[in-house]
């Protein structure tokens, strides 16, 4: 016992004389906790961004702190859809566009496509044409709307209005483009990409793609290292040799640099509904249990504040033949869509989460939300892919002659990939062998529409492949084909399926959320859910982007920190 006391005394004295050395083992900022080796040393070895603080909000996005909420409607359902039964869900923190994607934002996308892939060139014309919004959605057999047909998308008077006439597929392609442009801009600012390259060096054979830059950076910009290595702006730091003539390893920041943002994407239905409710600003039990009716607090669509008493809180259809109210004080300020930020944001800082336009979300539509299988980051629509690999083991980057076009059910062509992207292929049985979390590439039908979920399914017996015995007697989309870039039309003959159909539900039908300028107040409830074919567009559905949060749940790290 005396010996132990003596040893403790010696340790205390040593630590008192050299506190730094005693605490050194707890400071692993630039030292490996696994090996003790130095990190980021001048001599080389493992390089990692140890000064990373937290994810910054990318352009246009605001932070949405995740949590639990009641997804679905707990109030009466007079429409008797029974497709939004309440379930308790948890959503991880993420970022979301504070407004819908506007006409000006989408026109920037079209301008880039037109500049990089000139539509007058036969090989690229369908890239640009496939991205154009359908402006004819404004037409009505018994209405005069030609002003919107010709002006709504491009006239500066509508610059800050939400873009419409965009299909779900087009919204997804815009999101991919936005991811690449934002990461390209950030790397350019940091000196890793030549300054102004997005204008001076961008062409069909020289484009920046985020995944290509991460996985095979030497092939970014078509393999032009003078562009991808920063050019003259960072010549000293990124030169191939140092002053002594010794070779210097080229620097291509990957994910470990912390500079590259996660992808812009469509929000999942669970994320969108959670963000629209804006529960963060309310501490009320009934609200927490799903009894909040609108993105704002209260049960009415008019403002109850003394200074703004009676003002409408959203842009929606007031009644038959009434899209905005009587001109003047009672008007909601819009007869069609309204300029973004025309109404107050919810408690997350998100505008127009009710009214203005409905919005595409990522999910494939089903009448149920299968919370029995998953209640964390719920999403139906996963199609898992992997990078295509060349015979020499390198990833396959799409070339200018390798663009594949998907032919939609209406005969339109949409580019499935663009030059500079990494080609994708479905995961195989070899990839899923012995896995328990997923078994195949396409998971859209999981537990609802696949063989095992058919009412005719019996374990350990053959499943009847008769299409009339599917869970949903829906279109099979057999006319979905692939066409080369020179095809004038994707399908040579158009027709209609004469078979009797009892449902429009299929794997190509997506959820859209929120009320629009064409909808009555009933649809302003964030819990309401509807569906529409993913390759069709309307004058009342727009979209906004989301981005996953990496790292801590909260912006306030002290709130969740548990250790140094």
């Amino acid at each position: 016992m005396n010996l132990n006391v003596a040893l403790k005394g010696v340790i205390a004295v040593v630590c008192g004389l050299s506190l730094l050395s005693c605490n050194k083992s707890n400071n692993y900022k630039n030292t490996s906790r696994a090996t003790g080796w130095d990190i980021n040393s001048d001599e080389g070895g493992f390089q990692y961004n140890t000064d990373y603080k937290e994810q910054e909000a990318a352009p246009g996005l605001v932070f949405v702190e995740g949590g639990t909420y009641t997804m679905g409607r707990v109030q009466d359902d007079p429409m008797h859809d029974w497709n939004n039964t309440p379930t308790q869900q948890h959503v991880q923190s993420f970022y979301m566009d504070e407004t819908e994607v506007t006409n000006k934002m989408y026109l920037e996308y079209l301008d880039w496509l037109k500049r990089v892939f000139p539509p007058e060139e036969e090989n690229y014309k369908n890239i640009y044409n496939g991205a154009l919004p359908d402006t004819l959605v404004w037409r009505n057999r018994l209405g005069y709307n030609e002003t919107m047909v010709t002006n709504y998308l491009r006239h500066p008077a509508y610059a800050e209005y939400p873009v419409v006439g965009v299909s779900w597929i087009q919204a997804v392609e815009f999101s991919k483009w936005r991811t690449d442009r934002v990461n390209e801009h950030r790397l350019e600012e940091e000196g890793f990409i030549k300054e102004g390259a997005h204008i001076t060096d961008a062409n069909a054979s020289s484009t920046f793609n985020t995944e290509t830059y991460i996985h095979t950076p030497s092939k970014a910009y078509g393999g032009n290292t003078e562009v991808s290595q920063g050019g003259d702006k960072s010549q000293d730091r990124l030169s191939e040799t140092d002053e002594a003539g010794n070779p210097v390893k080229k620097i291509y920041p990957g994910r470990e640099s912390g500079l590259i943002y996660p992808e812009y994407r469509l929000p999942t239905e669970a994320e969108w509904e959670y963000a629209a409710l804006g529960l963060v600003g309310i501490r009320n039990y009934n609200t927490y249990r799903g009894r909040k009716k609108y993105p704002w607090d209260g049960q009415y669509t008019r403002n109850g504040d003394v200074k703004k008493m009676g003002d409408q809180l959203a842009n929606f259809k007031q009644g038959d033949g009434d899209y905005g109210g009587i001109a003047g004080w009672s008007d909601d300020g819009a007869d069609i869509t309204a300029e973004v930020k025309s109404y107050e944001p919810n408690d997350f800082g998100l505008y127009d989460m009710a009214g203005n336009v409905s919005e595409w979300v990522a999910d494939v539509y089903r009448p149920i939300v299968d919370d029995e299988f998953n209640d964390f980051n719920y999403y139906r629509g996963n199609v898992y892919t992997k990078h295509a690999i060349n015979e020499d083991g390198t990833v396959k980057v799409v070339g200018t002659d390798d663009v594949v076009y998907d032919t939609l059910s209406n005969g339109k062509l949409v580019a499935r990939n663009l030059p500079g992207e990494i080609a994708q292929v479905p995961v195989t049985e070899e990839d899923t062998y012995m896995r328990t979390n997923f078994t195949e590439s396409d998971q859209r039908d999981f537990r609802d529409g696949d063989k095992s979920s058919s009412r005719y399914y019996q374990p350990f017996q053959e499943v009847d492949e008769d299409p009339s015995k599917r869970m949903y007697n829906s279109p099979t989309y057999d006319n979905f084909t692939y066409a080369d870039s020179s095809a004038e039309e994707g399908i040579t003959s158009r027709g209609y399926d004469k078979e009797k159909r009892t449902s429009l539900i299929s794997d190509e039908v997506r959820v859209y959320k929120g009320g629009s300028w064409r909808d009555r107040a009933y649809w302003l409830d964030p819990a309401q859910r509807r569906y529409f074919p993913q390759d069709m567009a309307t004058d009342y559905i727009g979209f906004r982007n989301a981005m996953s949060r990496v790292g801590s749940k909260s912006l306030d790290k002290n709130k969740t920190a548990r250790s140094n």
Side-chain angles (χ1 to χ4, degrees):
M1 178 66 70
N2 291 336
L3 179 59
N4 289 335
V5 172
L7 287 174
K8 290 180 180 179
V10 171
I11 292 174
V13 170
V14 173
C15 287
L17 294 175
S18 182
L19 183 61
L20 179 61
S21 63
C22 287
N23 290 334
K24 184 177 181 180
S25 61
N26 293 326
N27 182 7
Y28 291 103
K29 179 178 180 181
N30 289 305
T31 305
S32 169
R33 193 186 299 269
T35 64
W37 290 345
D38 288 340
I39 297 175
N40 301 323
S41 66
D42 295 335
E43 289 76 19
F46 182 48
Q47 303 292 309
Y48 200 79
N49 182 3
T50 57
D51 292 323
Y52 183 80
K53 302 301 181 184
E54 67 176 7
Q55 182 178 350
E56 299 177 5
L61 305 180
V62 296
F63 177 68
V64 178
E65 183 175 344
T68 184
Y69 79 109
T70 302
M71 181 179 179
R73 183 179 176 86
V74 298
Q75 301 168 11
D76 291 338
D77 189 358
M79 300 292 287
H80 300 292
D81 289 330
W82 308 120
N83 67 350
N84 54 2
T85 303
T87 68
Q88 198 68 24
Q89 296 286 335
H90 191 99
V91 174
Q92 274 188 297
S93 297
F94 63 102
Y95 295 84
M96 198 172 196
D97 268 329
E98 62 175 346
T99 72
E100 301 103 337
V101 171
T102 64
N103 286 318
K104 186 168 68 173
M105 294 168 67
Y106 202 86
L107 285 173
E108 186 179 4
Y109 167 51
L110 294 177
D111 176 77
W112 186 89
L113 289 178
K114 193 172 185 178
R115 177 163 45 85
V116 176
F117 304 103
E120 57 270 16
E121 295 187 24
E122 185 68 22
N123 199 35
Y124 305 130
K125 69 175 184 178
N126 289 316
I127 293 178
Y128 178 76
N129 293 338
L132 286 172
D134 182 5
T135 59
L136 299 184
V137 295
W138 288 104
R139 283 182 172 168
N140 186 293
R141 293 180 182 86
L142 294 177
Y144 180 75
N145 298 323
E146 292 304 298
T147 300
M148 276 82 79
V149 171
T150 56
N151 290 283
Y152 183 81
L153 174 64
R154 299 185 182 275
H155 198 285
Y158 295 112
E160 297 300 331
Y161 284 57
V163 67
V164 296
V166 175
S167 69
W168 181 92
I169 292 175
Q170 289 173 316
V172 169
E173 293 304 312
F174 171 89
S175 306
K176 295 177 181 178
W177 168 85
R178 189 178 179 186
T179 300
D180 293 337
R181 303 291 73 75
V182 167
N183 281 323
E184 181 181 32
H185 174 68
R186 191 173 197 189
L187 291 172
E188 183 181 315
E189 280 191 325
E190 296 294 330
F192 292 102
I193 291 177
K194 176 183 172 183
E195 186 175 5
H198 65 285
I199 296 176
T200 60
D201 293 87
N203 55 63
S205 60
S206 178
T207 60
F208 173 88
N209 175 262
T210 301
E211 289 300 310
T212 302
Y213 190 85
I214 291 173
H215 293 281
T216 177
S218 61
K219 295 184 179 180
Y221 289 104
N224 189 344
T225 56
E226 291 185 1
V227 178
S228 60
Q229 280 293 296
D232 295 335
K233 181 176 179 181
S234 51
Q235 189 65 38
D236 293 337
R237 179 165 58 89
L238 303 175
S239 58
E240 296 186 7
T241 59
D242 58 20
E243 295 179 356
N246 298 317
V248 175
K249 182 179 180 181
K250 289 181 175 292
I251 300 175
Y252 294 100
R255 296 197 195 280
E256 67 277 0
S257 69
L259 293 175
I260 296 176
Y261 286 110
E263 64 176 355
Y264 281 87
R265 55 178 174 79
L266 292 180
T268 66
E269 181 181 2
E271 287 175 334
W272 193 98
E273 187 172 327
Y274 175 82
L277 285 170
L279 301 179
V280 67
I282 298 175
R283 298 294 181 263
N284 179 282
Y285 179 78
N286 286 333
T287 300
Y288 164 73
R289 298 304 299 174
R291 289 172 173 80
K292 190 178 183 187
K293 189 174 183 179
Y294 298 118
W296 52 85
D297 193 17
Q299 300 295 308
Y300 306 100
T301 62
R302 291 187 180 273
N303 201 322
D305 185 78
V306 175
K307 295 182 179 179
K308 300 180 180 180
M309 184 73 71
D311 288 354
Q312 289 288 0
L313 295 170
N315 174 23
F316 64 99
K317 184 177 179 179
Q318 312 290 317
D320 291 343
D322 183 359
Y323 287 84
I326 300 173
W329 172 82
S330 181
D331 192 13
D332 67 6
D335 40 24
I336 54 168
T337 56
E339 185 173 339
V340 297
K341 295 189 177 183
S342 294
Y343 304 90
E344 293 296 320
N346 72 359
D347 288 329
F348 279 126
L350 302 170
Y351 293 85
D352 295 320
M353 296 301 284
N356 215 19
V357 291
S358 301
E359 299 178 16
W360 290 114
V361 295
D363 295 58
V364 168
Y365 176 80
R366 290 293 186 270
I368 62 170
V369 172
D370 188 3
D371 65 314
E372 293 182 358
F373 186 82
N374 182 43
D375 57 3
F376 180 75
N377 287 345
Y378 185 86
Y379 166 62
R380 178 180 290 279
N382 283 311
V383 179
Y384 300 116
T385 61
K386 62 181 180 180
H387 298 330
I389 304 298
N390 295 314
E391 293 182 358
D392 61 358
T394 60
V395 295
K396 181 179 180 180
V397 178
V398 177
T400 54
D401 297 325
D402 301 326
V403 180
V404 176
Y405 294 84
D406 285 346
T407 305
L408 308 182
S409 58
N410 56 11
K412 300 296 183 181
L413 296 179
V414 174
R416 189 198 304 175
N417 46 32
L418 295 177
E421 297 179 0
I422 297 178
Q424 299 294 304
V425 295
V427 297
T428 65
E429 292 183 358
E430 294 180 356
D431 301 313
T432 62
Y433 180 66
M434 294 295 288
R435 286 194 174 275
T436 59
N437 54 335
F438 71 101
T439 56
E440 55 189 19
S441 175
D442 191 343
Q443 298 290 305
R444 291 175 296 179
D445 270 343
F446 181 66
R447 286 171 59 95
D448 193 81
D450 57 3
K451 294 178 181 180
S452 62
S453 57
S454 168
R455 57 181 172 173
Y456 296 95
Y457 175 76
Q458 294 182 12
F460 311 111
Q461 294 186 14
E462 290 293 328
V463 178
D464 193 338
E465 295 291 349
D466 184 351
S468 65
K469 295 183 179 181
R470 291 193 299 257
M471 174 169 283
Y472 299 109
N473 186 17
S474 59
T476 59
Y477 290 87
D478 287 337
N479 58 349
F480 268 61
T481 59
Y482 304 114
D484 60 37
S485 58
S486 62
E488 290 294 331
E489 298 291 346
I491 46 181
T492 56
S493 60
R494 291 182 173 86
Y496 296 93
D497 194 333
K498 302 298 184 180
E499 295 183 20
K500 181 181 178 181
R501 299 299 182 189
T502 58
S503 173
L504 291 176
I505 300 172
S506 74
D507 291 340
E508 282 73 36
V509 171
R510 301 287 172 166
V511 179
Y512 70 93
K513 300 283 283 184
S516 75
W517 65 275
R518 280 193 177 276
D519 293 314
R520 301 290 289 271
Y522 172 80
W523 296 105
L524 301 183
D525 184 345
Q528 297 296 350
R529 54 200 306 262
R530 291 174 283 180
Y531 57 94
F532 206 69
Q534 66 182 20
D535 59 347
M536 296 177 66
T538 75
D539 62 352
Y540 58 85
I541 300 180
F543 70 100
R544 72 179 75 208
N545 284 144
M547 178 183 288
S548 298
R549 163 81 173 178
V550 294
S552 61
K553 175 180 185 289
S554 173
L555 293 179
D556 181 7
K557 288 192 174 182
N558 294 326
K559 180 179 179 180
T560 56
R562 294 292 180 270
S563 62
N564 293 328

